[in-house]
Amino acid sequence: MFVLIGGLAATVNFLSRIFLNQFLSFSISVVVAYFIGMCIAFTLNKLFVFKEADSRTSWQAIMFVFVNLIGVIQTYLVSVALAEWLFPYWEVAWYPREIAHFIGISIPTITSYIGHKYLTFRRKKYTPITDVKGDLK
């Protein structure tokens, strides 16, 4: 479900970058679109993937932004490096910005999952209460 929701958020991210790129530079569009996709991802992950998380929504939102700051840095660096430097050097002419952005969006998938599982939507481990003899209470 995380991958499905991530795919939907990535699609929103990708399409909004194309739209925003009509009014903003490529690099700014990448960042703004990432945050649009991030809002979609937070809402859907909270509702459908990590619904049994024990932490408060405000804490989840803070950690979600923190984890995604790492993701947006990864996305930005990869997207801009490919679109502005490597693809022109390699003379890539077939949708270079779209390919660069798609690759950039894909990069933080694993780091985001790990960050959200263990930081944003973590679930506290159940520790049974025992008495002095070690018997469960």
Side-chain angles (χ1 to χ4, degrees), residues 94-106:
W94 191 73
Y95 297 103
R97 289 184 171 185
E98 287 70 21
I99 294 169
H101 190 217
F102 178 81
I103 293 169
I105 290 170
S106 302

Side-chain angles (χ1 to χ4, degrees), residues 50-107:
F50 300 110
K51 53 188 166 200
E52 294 184 22
D54 295 329
S55 53
R56 300 171 74 195
T57 300
S58 58
W59 172 255
Q60 291 172 356
I62 290 167
M63 293 312 295
F64 198 86
V65 169
F66 172 73
V67 169
N68 278 286
L69 284 175
I70 295 166
V72 75
I73 290 168
Q74 292 172 315
T75 299
Y76 177 84
L77 291 175
V78 170
S79 297
V80 171
L82 290 173
E84 305 290 331
W85 299 318
L86 288 176
F87 286 175
Y89 178 76
W90 293 336
E91 299 178 2
V92 174
W94 191 73
Y95 297 103
R97 289 184 171 185
E98 287 70 21
I99 294 169
H101 190 217
F102 178 81
I103 293 169
I105 290 170
S106 302
I107 294 297

Side-chain angles (χ1 to χ4, degrees), residues 5-6 14 16 27-28 39 53 64 74 80 95 117-120 126:
I5 288 171
F14 185 77
S16 61
S27 58
I28 292 173
C39 291
F64 198 86
Q74 292 172 315
V80 171
Y95 297 103
K117 182 175 181 176
Y118 294 107
L119 295 174
T120 309
Y126 173 73

